[in-house]
Structures are given as C-alpha cells and as structure tokens.
Amino acid sequence: MTRLEQLAQPQTIAPGEEEPSPILIAGPCSAETEAQVLETARQLSASGISYFRAGIWKPRTSPDSFEGVGEKGLPWLQQVKTQFGLNIAIEVANARHVEKALAHGVDLLWIGARTSVNPFTVQEIADALKGVPVPVMVKNPINPDLKLWKGALERILRADVQSVAACHRGFDVYGKSLYRNAPLWEIPIDLKRAFPELPIVCDPSHIGGRRDLIEDISRKALNLGYEGLMIETHPDPDNAWSDSAQQLVPSELLAMLNRLKFRKHQLDDKALLAKTGFLRDEIDDLDGRIQELIAQRMDLAREIGDLKRANNVAFYQHNRWNEIIERVKENSDRLHLNEEFMLKLFSLIHLESIDIQGE
Ligand code: PEP
Ligand code: MN
C-alpha cells in the first residue's frame, strides 16, 4: 500500500446516517479588508462549513492584478476563529507562507494550481510541512497532467502531514470554452482509480469562472462521489478585488447547499446491492454486444477499405461522413439520446474505421 493510500482518510458514515458529511470550504477568493473578512465569516458562521477560506497571497496571471494583502491579513483570520469558531484555510506557495500560516493557527493549507505545476516549489513546501499536524490539499496543476498532480500529492504525503486531499479546480485549455478552466472529469476519475482512499474536493468557482455555473458543477462532482466542495463566497461579489464573477453571496451558497444532495460512497443495503448487481449484469451483457457490433462495423469498414485501395481513392469521404452525422442526429432524436455525446462517440468510431482502412 502506498503512503497516499495509508494516509488518506476514507469518508466515514455513521450507521443510519442518510448523507455523509462533506468537507465544505467557503469564503472569499481574497482577504481584502478586516471588515470584509469578518462580515463574510459572520454571514457564514451558522452554515456548518468545515473551513473558512481566504487568499492572503494571491498568485495572479497579471502583475497588475491584486496580489493579496499578505501577512497583515493573517490576524483577521485569527479573529474569524476566535469570534465565530470557524476553522481557517489559506493557500501557501512557499516555505515562508507555511511558517507564517502555522504561526497564526491556520487549520488547513492548500497548494494552488500555479504552484503544483512546479516540483521544486512543491518539494520546498513539503520540507516545510514535515510532520505538521494540519491537513493539506493539493490543487490540480493548471495543465491537464495527471502525473504532475500525483507527483505533487506524493511529495506532500512523504512529508508525513496529518492528512492529504486533492482539489479539482479544472484545467487550462487554449481557446474559448464555456468554463474558465475545463473540468476534464476523466482526470480526477483516473486519480481516484489510482488512489481510491484519497478524498477529492471540487472547486466549482475556479472551474466555472461564473457564479451561474457553480451549482451544476457542484452537483456533477457530488454525483461522482467527491468528498467536498470549496466555493468562493463574498458579501458583495460584484465589488470583490479578485474573481468577482465566480463568488456567491453567503445566502446563495446556503440555498444552493440545501438543494444539493451529498452522496454515500458505497451501496450498503443488501437488497439494493442485489438489485444493482442484477442490473449491472445486464449492462455487462449489453456492453459486450456493443463491442461485438463495433467489431462487425470495423470488418465492414475493412472491406470497403480494400475497395477504396484498389481504386486508389482517399479513405476519408466527406459526403459519407456528412450522411453519418445526419443519421446519428435523427437516431439520437428518436431514441432520446444526447446528440452531442452521440456525435462525439461516432466521430471516434468513424476515425478508427478510417485508420483501420488505411492500415
Ligand atoms: C484560489 O483558490 O483562490 C486560487 C487562486 O485557486 P487556483 O490555484 O485554483 O487558481
Ligand atoms: Mn479565486
């Protein structure tokens, strides 16, 4: 068993408890003023959140953006603890930040996306964290690189910190997209396959970049069995000094949390297990048939490929692909299937057929 597996705490659910208790982290993107920090904490104080977050040192893309209030914000967070009894969480990006955070009683530290890309910095932080009794969360690196994320987690785990979690904040992809940072859900799913006990917290604010996307992204994360959410929350988001488009006011956050359903990891009811087992058998059978049909389709494509080769015509035929697209759309409509998903699937099948023809 790896260190990561040993250290990560599985989510435990008390018998009879309907919903597991998730890790909920909320608070402003940045600590701006003492009054703003305390007002946000006051509004969140009865919400049952696990940690109050606020960025003290802000890694910003442009040097013209607000780069955080720095050390002078740490006593404001200490007041959040004493006045409202909330645990506090901040981002650390070097050894000095770790030292300052620990000296001010910070309860959870996280390594940001711009830091987890750099093994030198992650190692420096890991060395500063040696044996420290606070949990540490490692955000995914900005670029979609699972190995880099795993490497950063392993460096922190080897430092023997109290517990470690991953935080999924989406990935930078070049070009226009609905999201500020594309979720690429397959990457955290692969991380979970590699480290089944590692808790994963979703950061829908940084994935969406827009407050109207936060709820859907959170729901998706919970449906996938994530252990927690970190959501930027500000009493006056439109006038926030950083990330103003992706913060919720505390009352919106609470309303949203009430609408969301936190899910258990495992089916623990015997009858339910038997029923899902039966349905899964049927699904396995259908999956086998889908693969057999794909094999038949590839055989036909091979035959057509031989004819194309004999007549020296290109394997890709634009008109044919257009015909397939139209048929897939009609069938999706008739069968009530998601058209976008079906087109993606058939685009892959079609490309593979052409590769096979060209072999
Ligand atoms: C943040 O949480 O405020 C932050 C800077 O996030 P990220 O490192 O994901 O960009
Ligand atoms: Mn932010």
Side-chain angles (χ1 to χ4, degrees):
M1 197 189 278
T2 66
R3 207 63 204 115
L4 196 53
E5 286 163 342
Q6 284 167 9
L7 278 172
Q9 306 289 311
Q11 191 81 9
T12 50
I13 304 159
E17 200 182 331
E18 271 306 299
E19 291 186 11
S21 20
I23 306 161
L24 286 176
I25 307 169
C29 174
S30 304
E32 299 163 4
T33 63
E34 183 171 1
Q36 168 254 7
V37 167
L38 293 178
E39 180 53 21
T40 317
R42 190 187 64 75
Q43 292 186 27
L44 283 170
S45 56
S47 61
I49 58 167
S50 332
Y51 295 93
F52 178 86
R53 64 151 282 158
I56 292 290
W57 300 281
K58 301 297 301 175
R60 305 309 300 281
T61 304
S62 157
D64 296 330
S65 304
F66 170 60
E67 294 195 306
V69 291
E71 232 176 293
K72 78 165 192 242
L74 288 169
W76 308 342
L77 292 179
Q78 281 180 300
Q79 282 194 54
V80 166
K81 251 178 116 150
T82 48
Q83 281 190 33
F84 302 106
L86 292 169
N87 291 318
I88 51 179
I90 66 165
E91 172 175 351
V92 287
N94 58 40
R96 193 178 63 84
H97 293 168
V98 173
E99 188 198 313
K100 294 287 172 199
L102 296 175
H104 287 84
V106 173
D107 302 287
L108 178 144
L109 306 173
W110 82 83
I111 297 179
R114 290 166 190 77
T115 305
S116 58
V117 287
N118 185 335
F120 284 143
T121 316
V122 174
Q123 191 55 52
E124 176 194 319
I125 295 173
D127 293 342
L129 283 169
K130 267 238 154 353
V132 154
V134 294
V136 179
M137 206 162 70
V138 181
K139 285 197 170 198
N140 64 259
I142 290 199
N143 51 323
D145 184 338
L146 176 62
K147 285 193 189 133
L148 201 52
W149 196 4
K150 277 163 108 176
L153 282 159
E154 265 155 5
R155 285 176 197 278
I156 301 305
L157 284 162
R158 284 181 200 177
D160 262 332
V161 298
Q162 187 203 47
S163 61
V164 179
C167 178
H168 172 213
R169 52 80 75 200
F171 301 88
D172 185 53
V173 285
Y174 189 64
K176 260 203 169 343
S177 135
L178 170 64
Y179 302 101
R180 178 177 176 196
N181 291 292
L184 309 181
W185 296 101
E186 60 279 19
I187 297 182
I189 288 173
D190 283 347
L191 182 74
K192 196 79 176 173
R193 282 183 58 218
F195 302 117
E197 304 298 338
L198 178 75
I200 304 191
V201 172
C202 180
D203 174 347
S205 291
H206 286 91
I207 292 178
R210 281 173 26 189
R211 62 186 131 265
D212 61 323
L213 295 176
I214 291 178
E215 182 159 349
D216 277 354
I217 298 167
S218 303
R219 185 170 293 108
K220 170 100 182 177
L222 296 176
N223 287 343
L224 288 171
Y226 280 43
E227 284 78 2
L229 298 172
M230 170 149 95
I231 298 174
E232 290 189 333
T233 315
H234 192 288
D236 182 12
D238 289 339
N239 291 306
W241 296 4
S242 59
D243 289 353
S244 63
Q246 63 185 41
Q247 309 204 52
L248 296 178
V249 294
S251 59
E252 282 169 348
L253 174 79
L254 296 189
M256 185 194 87
L257 291 175
N258 282 328
R259 288 190 294 269
L260 291 175
K261 185 119 188 83
F262 290 91
R263 299 188 186 280
K264 293 187 231 182
H265 277 177
Q266 302 281 345
L267 299 165
D268 46 13
D269 179 289
K270 282 218 167 64
L272 203 58
L273 264 175
K275 175 120 184 118
T276 51
F278 178 71
L279 294 171
R280 281 174 178 165
D281 283 350
E282 274 193 62
I283 285 183
D284 290 348
D285 189 46
L286 283 174
D287 284 349
R289 281 161 59 194
I290 291 172
Q291 282 185 279
E292 277 161 24
L293 287 172
I294 291 176
Q296 281 178 34
R297 192 190 192 286
M298 294 302 163
D299 285 345
L300 292 173
R302 239 178 234 111
E303 264 186 59
I304 297 178
D306 292 343
L307 293 172
K308 286 176 181 165
R309 190 177 297 100
N311 290 281
N312 201 25
V313 290
F315 297 113
Y316 173 73
Q317 295 287 321
H318 194 56
N319 291 346
R320 175 60 182 152
W321 175 228
N322 278 340
E323 270 171 33
I324 295 178
I325 291 177
E326 286 316 309
R327 198 168 28 78
V328 168
K329 284 186 182 168
E330 274 167 36
N331 287 339
S332 303
D333 190 39
R334 186 169 55 80
L335 298 167
H336 306 296
L337 289 163
N338 176 340
E339 184 181 290
E340 195 189 330
F341 162 66
M342 281 292 133
L343 286 172
K344 264 195 223 154
L345 180 65
F346 275 89
S347 162
L348 282 175
I349 291 176
H350 181 245
L351 276 176
E352 177 66 10
S353 303
I354 288 167
D355 279 353
I356 278 182
Q357 292 184 338
E359 271 169 8

